[in-house]
Amino acid sequence: MLNVSALPYKDVKISQLNSFDGYQINFRINNHFYQFLVGSKKTPFPLNVMHIFKEKDACTFCNKTIYPYPAGQQICFEFQENLTSLLNHFQTTYPSNFNN
């Protein structure tokens, strides 16, 4: 099981979305970019984590070969198995970003 709270997150950006009721959390780990979508601003729940790679590379976590965005925009299955922990980490680390 992935310990999401121990990962070296960089460039974390949490945005409230207008296109649907929820959040988009962008972050970088080891020079790989990921996008975490969260539904509902009132009672947030995790949806998915996508790879947003700038060049072809293997994901450190799920070992899939990922092609550059947008062609390679794929779900990271390792993060998918840890969605609740990941949301909890961001809500705990960046609580002011989740206030309505």
Side-chain angles (χ1 to χ4, degrees):
M1 183 165 186
L2 187 63
N3 181 0
V4 297
S5 62
L7 296 174
Y9 298 95
K10 302 281 186 203
D11 303 326
V12 175
K13 183 179 178 190
I14 301 172
S15 307
Q16 292 188 23
L17 297 176
N18 294 326
S19 56
F20 74 96
D21 179 24
Y23 299 92
Q24 175 176 297
I25 303 171
N26 293 320
F27 59 93
R28 180 173 56 94
I29 299 175
N30 303 329
N31 292 321
H32 289 151
F33 289 90
Y34 298 87
Q35 179 185 72
F36 180 24
L37 293 178
V38 176
S40 182
K41 292 173 190 152
K42 186 176 180 179
T43 309
F45 60 91
L47 295 171
N48 61 40
V49 177
M50 305 290 280
H51 302 96
I52 309 291
F53 288 13
K54 292 183 178 183
E55 53 190 47
K56 180 180 172 184
D57 203 353
C59 176
T60 306
F61 305 107
C62 69
N63 297 314
K64 285 174 65 174
T65 298
I66 306 300
Y67 291 88
Y69 175 83
Q73 190 175 10
Q74 300 173 20
I75 290 176
C76 181
F77 291 111
E78 188 65 29
F79 275 122
Q80 285 300 115
E81 293 178 5
N82 296 279
L83 288 176
T84 303
S85 297
L86 188 62
L87 178 57
N88 184 54
H89 167 76
F90 285 116
Q91 286 179 308
T92 302
T93 306
Y94 305 95
S96 63
N97 288 284
F98 291 91
N99 294 336
N100 295 358

